[in-house]
Amino acid sequence: MANLHTKICGVEFKNPVIAASGTFGFGKEFNEIYDISVLGGISTKGLTLEPRLGNPTPRIAEGHGVILNAVGLQNPGVDKFLEEDLDFLKSKNTVIIANVAGKTLEDYAGICGRLDGLVDMIELNISCPNVKCGGMAFGIRPESVEQVTRAAKGSLKKTPLIVKLSPNVESIAVNALAAQKGGADCVSLINTLTGMVIDVERRKPVIANNTGGVSGAGVKPVAVRMTYEVCSAVDIPVIGMGGITCAEDALEFIIAGASAVQVGTANFTDTLAMPKIIDGLNRWLDAHGISDINELRGTLKLNG
């Protein structure tokens, strides 16, 4: 079989397929279905300093080829994660990426400091509202992207930092450069698009939060385009995600320049989605006579 190993910021991945944050919990439920040690990595459910109950229900709605969620970062808090989940993840011999969130710069700095050296990588969710700036998400403006990245990086001495970029911006490439300037070791994209689903009988939004994050197969063309733009702009590794359901989808992101991919919503429709994608990558590479998946990275040839 072809070599699927990849290295990002000095961290070795057995393959480039990573469970996306918010769709895989901490892996325990999926491990009852298959051995999650086959995965290249796991990005945990978003963690905050304190436990969060999340938004009121209903929090999930379906569209055509997408789902909409406004879960609201329900999580047990970082200390409970360290007490109850980290040892299990370490036993699975896969890269552990702690996805973290906050409402202030101090929150981000604090949680990064708490996790430094305990996980393999940290991924900043910067689509969270900055309560000190009127609730605008940290990831909207390049200045705030750089600021929150710098605050988080300042608390990290051992652990590489990934910044997860929002697509709800004027230029995702400009924001990626801001993250790089702030000290990010890597960027991941895309986080969810903002959307709404309406119940036409009630004439009200389906989910209680009115709007939510859109993910699923329908967003893939947007995600691939943005991944290509960011890979062309920055000098740090890129992890691509958004609508990946099969090996060919994952290959699009890698050809666009991504070092690895994250798979999210597909896990809801097929619990074996990620093992199938890994197997599919091996089959595709073998069929095309390619011995190492890294040979494909950034090989996109534009028309014209």
Side-chain angles (χ1 to χ4, degrees):
M1 292 190 295
N3 174 38
L4 295 183
H5 287 76
T6 189
K7 183 184 285 188
I8 302 174
C9 306
V11 178
E12 296 274 359
F13 291 75
K14 67 186 73 171
N15 62 66
V17 179
I18 303 165
S21 175
T23 64
F24 207 71
F26 302 113
K28 291 180 179 177
E29 294 83 1
F30 278 88
N31 195 62
E32 296 176 5
I33 301 167
Y34 64 89
D35 183 358
I36 63 172
S37 65
V38 302
L39 302 178
I42 296 171
S43 183
T44 68
K45 187 170 182 59
L47 295 166
T48 51
L49 281 170
E50 302 295 332
R52 283 178 59 104
L53 294 175
N55 290 329
T57 57
R59 305 192 288 196
I60 302 285
E62 291 188 65
H64 296 294
V66 297
I67 67 168
L68 187 80
N69 90 84
V71 173
L73 289 173
Q74 178 183 346
N75 78 96
V78 65
D79 288 334
K80 187 71 75 172
F81 163 74
L82 294 173
E83 293 169 11
E84 298 184 357
D85 298 295
L86 183 57
D87 285 345
F88 164 76
L89 287 172
K90 286 185 173 182
S91 75
K92 304 314 294 182
N93 188 32
T94 188
V95 174
I96 304 167
I97 303 171
N99 181 283
V100 303
K103 292 184 177 181
T104 64
L105 295 176
E106 293 78 14
D107 285 349
Y108 280 100
I111 195 167
C112 285
R114 184 76 178 88
L115 289 165
D116 189 28
L118 301 179
V119 293
D120 297 305
M121 306 182 87
I122 287 174
E123 181 179 55
L124 288 192
N125 175 0
I126 58 172
S127 295
C128 301
N130 182 351
V131 295
K132 291 187 178 180
C133 293
M136 179 179 290
F138 283 98
I140 297 299
R141 292 178 176 168
E143 313 87 71
S144 58
V145 171
E146 180 181 347
Q147 188 180 32
V148 70
T149 302
R150 197 176 302 281
K153 185 65 176 176
S155 294
L156 296 173
K157 307 302 180 187
K158 303 175 182 178
T159 308
L161 179 66
I162 306 166
V163 176
K164 188 171 185 177
L165 300 173
S166 170
N168 304 303
V169 295
E170 182 176 350
S171 170
I172 198 165
V174 168
N175 282 15
L177 285 167
Q180 178 176 283
K181 185 177 179 182
D185 300 293
C186 176
V187 291
S188 61
L189 65 140
I190 59 174
N191 208 328
T192 54
L193 294 147
T194 302
M196 178 185 287
V197 175
I198 295 173
D199 181 330
V200 296
E201 299 300 329
R202 296 188 304 122
R203 303 183 194 180
K204 289 186 175 183
V206 172
I207 59 174
N209 197 59
N210 295 321
T211 63
V214 181
S215 63
V219 309
K220 192 194 72 176
V222 176
V224 170
R225 185 263 297 175
M226 288 188 167
T227 297
Y228 171 72
E229 290 178 351
V230 168
C231 289
S232 300
V234 299
D235 300 318
I236 55 178
V238 174
I239 299 172
M241 74 191 86
I244 296 172
T245 63
C246 63
E248 289 77 8
D249 290 344
L251 288 166
E252 288 191 49
F253 286 86
I254 292 168
I255 291 169
S259 297
V261 297
Q262 292 187 13
V263 179
T265 303
N267 294 307
F268 297 147
T269 55
D270 181 358
T271 54
L272 296 174
M274 288 191 288
K276 289 178 180 177
I277 290 170
I278 295 167
D279 290 343
L281 290 174
N282 272 312
R283 289 195 304 272
W284 193 95
L285 292 170
D286 288 347
H288 290 77
I290 299 172
S291 61
D292 190 327
I293 196 167
N294 296 290
E295 295 175 23
L296 282 175
R297 186 185 309 133
T299 57
L300 179 65
K301 301 172 184 178
L302 295 178
N303 297 317

